[in-house]
């Protein structure tokens, strides 16, 4: 009979399903990677206090307890005394919901109530140092004044979960814990439904980061969506703060969110960073691709108006800027040139103008459009406003980025589903521009300013303007900007051929 291996003992925190794409459980291995960015001497100090202000599974607190247990063993030889000291005087949490408060206490104290018979700590109350209290939003003009939640979506009775997170909904943090924390670490909720059309949502993760830094710890470490790299909905001020923050010593970037959260697709990827109160200078940036951590590169986060995530791309952009003085963000037209909404599909048979929409080709009367840029009688190069693949690489790890590329003839128009790149007096120049858009070089540079699925005028800031009297190929562009073999391989390995 075959002998059964009984040694397999999986970590239960690797097996818990995520609450949603907005409230994602952190795998233990990833939590430990983040803890590795801290000075390890912290775990040998019995006076250091740690806080996870957005506990879900309790994984950060559990892994901190493990490290403190090892680090303090020589100073506190008695195991029971040591564990009791760590749990009661060093490790604290704030849960995001009642459910996660019970789960976190079970993870850290081995009991969903801190004073239960199975608890490994001698607490006299049910919460211990993992706090949770039901809260209501504070409505002002239909929005919560603390998190921006929509009153029409989140106004609920006291017996229902409100998602009014304790950490960012109290005026005075001393109401929760009246003490100073040395390390604040965790994975905050990402966004809330804002009551808009479809899946419209407002980001909130930046509110947790800002609140934590205001508490002035020695270290702060968070894992958050990377959409702040280029700002966007509610994130422009946060982006400027981050890019100009000289206290960020390490930033680890995952362009593919599945590399850190298995099965979770977050457009624009994920990052974690370490904020160090006593550090000032350039940041060590590490790119992670296919679960492989690259070599950290020390560089300024504020070199450009958006954060360029790829270390290799930064070198290419520098070469491009040394050669080309003009870039396409000065040329590309603002969205919705003809003032036609995306749900306008025209008429199948009647109309003075041909219309391109998400439904294909139809017709529309000239009175229904506004020619804001005086380009109706020109040849227009257009692409879709939403990028192909949702700002996530395909199964081969490569991006296509642009899913639709067309030349509109004079008196053809499009809805706001499309973005007009440039308008020409002759057809040849328009098709020569198309050859440029199809290159991997063009699309790689476009990708560097994209942090969501939307391609806008500003995202072309690294794409240089070319002479469109002739067509372009990648080989011609590589030679023009004197890219070396490593830089060419970087582009070729990242970008798919244009379909």
């Amino acid at each position: 009979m075959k002998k059964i291996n009984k040694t397999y003992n999986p970590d239960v925190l690797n097996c818990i399903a995520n609450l949603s794409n907005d409230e994602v459980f952190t795998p233990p291995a990833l939590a430990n990677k983040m803890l590795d960015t801290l000075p390890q001497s912290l775990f040998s100090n019995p006076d250091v206090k740690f806080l996870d202000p957005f506990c879900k599974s309790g994984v950060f607190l559990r892994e901190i307890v493990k490290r403190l247990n090892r680090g303090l063993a020589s100073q506190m030889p008695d195991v029971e005394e040591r564990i009791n000291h760590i749990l009661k005087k060093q490790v604290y949490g704030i849960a995001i919901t009642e459910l996660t408060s019970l789960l976190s206490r079970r993870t850290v104290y081995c009991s969903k109530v801190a004073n239960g018979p199975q608890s490994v700590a001698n607490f006299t109350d049910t919460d211990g140092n993992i706090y949770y209290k039901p809260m209501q939003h504070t409505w002002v003009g239909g929005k919560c004044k603390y998190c921006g939640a929509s009153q029409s979506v989140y106004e609920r009775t006291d017996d229902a979960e409100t998602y009014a997170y304790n950490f960012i909904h109290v005026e005075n943090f001393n109401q929760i814990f009246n003490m100073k924390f040395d390390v604040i670490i965790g994975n905050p909720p990402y966004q809330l439904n804002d009551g808009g059309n479809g899946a419209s949502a407002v980001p909130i993760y930046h509110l947790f980061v800002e609140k934590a830094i205001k508490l002035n710890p020695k270290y702060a470490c968070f894992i958050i969506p990377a959409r702040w790299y280029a700002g966007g909905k509610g994130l422009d001020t946060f982006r400027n703060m981050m890019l100009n923050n000289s206290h960020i010593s390490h930033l680890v970037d995952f362009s593919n969110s599945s590399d850190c959260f298995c099965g979770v697709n977050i457009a624009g990827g994920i990052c974690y960073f370490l904020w160090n109160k006593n550090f000032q200078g350039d940041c060590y940036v590490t790119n992670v691709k296919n679960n492989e951590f690259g070599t950290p590169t020390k560089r300024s986060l504020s070199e450009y108006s958006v954060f360029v995530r790829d270390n290799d791309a930064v070198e290419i952009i520098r070469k491009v800027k040394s050669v080309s003085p003009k870039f396409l963000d000065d040329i590309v037209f603002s969205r919705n040139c003809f003032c036609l909404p995306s749900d306008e599909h025209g008429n199948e048979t009647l109309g003075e103008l041909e219309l391109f929409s998400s439904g294909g080709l139809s017709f529309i009367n000239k009175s229904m459009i506004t020619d804001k840029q005086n380009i109706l009688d020109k040849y227009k190069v257009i692409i879709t406003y939403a990028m192909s693949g949702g700002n996530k690489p395909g199964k081969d790890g490569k991006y296509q980025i642009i899913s639709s590329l067309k030349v509109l003839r004079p008196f053809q128009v499009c809805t706001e589903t499309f973005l007009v790149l440039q308008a020409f007096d002759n057809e040849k120049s328009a098709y020569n521009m198309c050859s440029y858009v199809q290159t991997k070089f063009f699309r790689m540079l476009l990708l560097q300013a994209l942090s969501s699925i939307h391609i806008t005028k500003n995202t072309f800031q690294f794409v240089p303007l070319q002479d469109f009297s002739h067509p372009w190929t990648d080989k011609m562009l590589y030679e023009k900007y004197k890219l070396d073999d490593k830089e060419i391989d970087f582009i070729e390995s990242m970008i798919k051929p244009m379909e």
Side-chain angles (χ1 to χ4, degrees):
M1 181 182 290
K2 184 177 179 181
K3 186 177 180 180
I4 298 175
N5 185 351
K6 298 181 179 181
T7 60
Y8 179 59
N9 184 23
D11 188 334
V12 68
L13 297 190
N14 276 319
C15 308
I16 300 175
N18 289 310
L19 299 175
S20 68
N21 271 19
D22 307 328
E23 296 170 337
V24 181
F25 288 119
T26 310
L30 181 59
N32 276 293
K33 283 286 189 183
M34 294 171 62
L35 289 169
D36 287 344
T37 65
L38 294 166
Q40 297 306 293
S41 58
L42 292 169
F43 302 103
S44 300
N45 187 336
D47 298 320
V48 171
K49 288 180 168 53
F50 297 82
L51 172 68
D52 178 354
F54 8 84
C55 288
K56 292 184 284 291
S57 68
V59 64
F60 286 100
L61 300 184
R62 187 191 72 175
E63 299 307 312
I64 289 168
V65 170
K66 286 182 180 180
R67 295 187 182 215
L68 287 170
N69 186 40
R70 292 191 298 267
L72 297 175
S74 61
Q75 301 174 57
M76 298 179 181
D78 184 272
V79 175
E80 185 175 350
E81 176 192 353
R82 184 166 70 246
I83 292 296
N84 221 36
H85 172 87
I86 292 168
L87 295 179
K88 297 184 75 173
K89 296 185 178 181
Q90 291 195 264
V91 175
Y92 300 79
I94 303 172
I96 63 170
T97 65
E98 184 175 10
L99 173 63
T100 61
S101 73
L102 300 175
L103 178 57
S104 295
R105 291 188 199 109
R106 177 64 180 81
T107 297
V108 180
Y109 304 143
C110 301
S111 171
K112 67 180 182 180
V113 289
N115 60 352
Q118 287 80 36
S119 177
V120 295
N122 299 324
F123 286 104
T124 57
D125 64 323
T126 58
D127 288 358
N129 285 338
I130 298 178
Y131 175 94
Y132 174 76
K133 290 292 184 292
M135 297 191 74
Q136 291 289 342
H137 295 276
T138 302
W139 306 118
V140 177
K143 300 286 185 182
C144 175
K145 76 171 188 176
Y146 293 110
C147 69
S150 168
Q151 186 172 3
S152 63
V153 177
Y154 289 99
E155 187 171 38
R156 299 170 183 179
T157 58
D158 289 338
D159 59 345
E161 178 58 60
T162 63
Y163 300 96
Y165 301 113
N166 292 165
F167 185 60
I168 59 173
H169 283 76
V170 294
E171 291 282 359
N172 184 358
F173 181 73
N174 290 340
Q175 294 175 238
I176 300 177
F177 293 121
N178 188 14
M179 66 184 68
K180 174 89 172 159
F181 287 95
D182 301 286
V183 178
I184 302 179
I185 187 169
N187 181 6
Y190 294 162
Q191 62 186 31
L192 289 173
N193 184 343
D194 66 1
N197 292 329
S200 179
V202 58
I204 60 169
Y205 58 87
H206 60 296
L207 302 177
F208 293 90
V209 175
E210 291 167 348
K211 180 70 174 282
I213 291 176
K214 283 181 181 178
L215 294 178
N216 198 30
K218 292 180 181 176
Y219 302 95
C221 187
F222 306 107
I223 184 162
I224 58 176
R227 293 178 190 173
W228 65 266
Y229 291 175
K233 190 173 185 178
L235 293 171
D236 287 337
T237 300
F238 181 69
R239 176 200 62 194
N240 291 333
M241 182 276 288
M242 292 289 286
L243 294 185
N244 293 288
N245 196 320
S246 60
H247 296 290
I248 298 175
S249 61
H250 294 78
L251 187 148
V252 179
D253 171 76
F254 299 81
S255 57
N256 186 352
S257 60
S258 295
D259 281 343
C260 56
F261 298 131
C262 183
V264 177
N265 291 318
I266 298 173
I270 290 288
C271 70
Y272 65 80
F273 65 91
L274 177 67
W275 180 91
N276 182 340
K277 177 182 177 181
N278 295 317
F279 172 86
Q280 282 196 320
D282 290 343
C283 177
Y284 283 99
V285 178
T286 302
N287 298 131
V288 183
K289 296 178 181 177
N290 299 318
N291 290 306
E292 293 186 4
F293 283 67
T295 302
T297 297
K298 193 174 185 180
R299 56 188 175 96
S300 170
L301 299 181
S302 61
E303 183 171 359
Y304 302 111
S305 62
V306 300
F307 177 65
V308 179
R309 70 188 331 153
D310 275 294
N311 291 328
D312 290 326
V314 171
E315 294 301 324
I316 296 173
I317 290 171
R318 288 170 181 164
K319 284 188 175 182
V320 168
K321 284 187 169 290
S322 70
V323 174
S324 292
K326 293 186 178 180
F327 291 79
L328 281 183
D329 59 328
D330 290 330
I331 305 297
V332 171
F333 293 95
S334 298
R335 190 181 176 195
N336 204 4
C337 275
F338 299 105
C339 298
L340 294 172
S342 57
D343 59 358
E344 175 60 64
H345 297 301
N347 187 287
E348 290 185 6
T349 57
L350 299 175
E352 301 165 289
L353 306 175
E354 288 185 323
L355 170 69
F356 274 94
S357 69
S358 58
L361 180 64
S362 60
F363 298 89
I364 197 169
N365 288 325
K366 190 174 181 180
S367 61
M368 296 178 66
I369 69 120
T370 300
D371 185 15
K372 297 187 294 184
Q373 312 293 342
N374 296 316
I375 58 173
L376 180 61
D377 60 347
K378 297 183 183 297
Y379 293 89
K380 300 159 287 281
V381 178
I382 65 169
I383 63 171
T384 45
Y385 169 64
M387 71 179 288
S388 172
N391 205 336
K392 297 184 289 287
K395 292 181 179 179
D396 58 359
K398 296 182 178 182
Y399 296 84
Q400 179 167 312
I401 305 167
I402 294 172
S403 58
S404 180
L405 172 64
K406 299 178 184 293
V407 174
L408 300 186
R409 298 190 306 274
F411 304 102
Q412 290 182 324
V413 296
C414 59
T415 66
E416 66 175 340
T417 299
F418 299 89
L419 190 68
V420 179
L421 301 188
Q422 197 166 352
F424 298 90
D425 292 326
N426 63 84
E427 187 176 25
K428 179 182 177 182
S429 295
Y431 279 100
N432 287 340
M433 184 182 196
C434 286
S435 71
Y436 181 44
V437 175
Q438 288 178 300
T439 65
K440 296 177 182 179
F441 174 88
F442 177 103
R443 289 178 288 131
M444 184 281 295
L445 289 171
L446 176 60
L447 180 64
Q448 302 316 307
L450 281 166
S451 61
S452 71
I453 66 170
H454 297 131
I455 302 174
T456 64
K457 179 180 176 69
N458 187 55
T459 56
F460 292 86
Q461 62 183 282
F462 300 128
V463 183
L465 181 64
Q466 306 296 344
D467 172 9
F468 295 122
S469 63
H470 60 82
W472 288 93
T473 66
D474 274 312
K475 183 179 179 182
M476 295 165 66
L477 293 161
Y478 296 159
E479 290 176 351
K480 176 176 179 177
Y481 295 103
K482 297 182 172 56
L483 303 191
D484 59 32
D485 290 344
K486 179 185 175 184
E487 291 162 341
I488 294 171
D489 289 344
F490 169 75
I491 296 173
E492 295 287 332
S493 67
M494 177 182 288
I495 307 298
K496 296 178 181 181
M498 185 79 179
E499 294 178 3

